[in-house]
Amino acid sequence: MSRDSVDVLVLGASGPIGLALGRRANMHGLTVFATGRRGPNAVDATDSVALAQVMRATTPRAVVNLVNPADAGDSGLASVIARTVAESAGQGRVGRLVFFSWAAVYGDEGVRPYIESDQLRGASTYARGKILSEEALMRTAA
């Protein structure tokens, strides 16, 4: 793969959202490097060295993070991804980070649309993992 060949690096691309995102991006002429836990582009997102190697090798214009720390059973994963992507962005290698979260981070009892400033109080393991990711990204961005 050439140094400037990737428009979008998708982390955690093996699920339905990642697969649909890759298809849609390709339809619009974007080059996508899709990673997952298994497959030809497998990368261990808990390994900051491996993740940094993928970032350097693909030099993406944008990174889409679909990985959830709860899926990996690792609360430190959010910090690894946030730090590695932020370092690459700071070195001018990534222009944009898109982080997919989930409405359940605001709890399950909502009856109105949520806004960004609402309190995070997810109850499920998945929602708590997304909250950890959001908090790590905010710390890294600060």
Side-chain angles (χ1 to χ4, degrees):
M1 173 173 297
S2 70
R3 182 169 164 76
D4 297 317
S5 64
V6 175
D7 292 309
V8 183
L9 169 62
V10 182
L11 305 173
S14 59
I17 294 173
L19 294 171
L21 176 68
R23 283 192 303 272
R24 181 66 91 171
N26 284 325
M27 286 173 46
H28 289 279
L30 298 173
T31 55
V32 176
F33 190 82
T35 69
R37 285 181 249 171
R38 295 170 291 284
N41 298 330
V43 63
D44 179 0
T46 65
D47 180 345
S48 62
V49 173
L51 190 54
Q53 287 173 341
V54 169
M55 299 286 292
R56 280 192 303 276
T58 60
T59 59
R61 291 187 4 213
V63 175
V64 176
N65 178 27
L66 301 171
V67 176
N68 184 348
D71 292 343
D74 181 358
S75 61
L77 174 59
S79 296
V80 168
I81 293 173
R83 186 178 58 252
T84 303
V85 172
E87 287 171 0
S88 292
Q91 296 166 5
R93 291 195 300 250
V94 175
R96 185 172 309 256
L97 168 65
V98 178
F99 172 75
F100 275 65
S101 193
W102 190 36
V105 299
Y106 299 111
D108 296 327
E109 66 281 339
V111 293
R112 64 176 176 78
Y114 297 110
I115 57 175
E116 286 291 316
S117 60
D118 285 343
Q119 180 182 358
L120 300 178
R121 57 181 184 273
S124 71
T125 302
Y126 189 83
R128 285 192 307 274
K130 289 297 187 179
I131 290 170
L132 287 171
S133 295
E134 290 187 21
E135 290 171 347
L137 287 169
M138 295 304 289
R139 281 192 308 275
T140 302

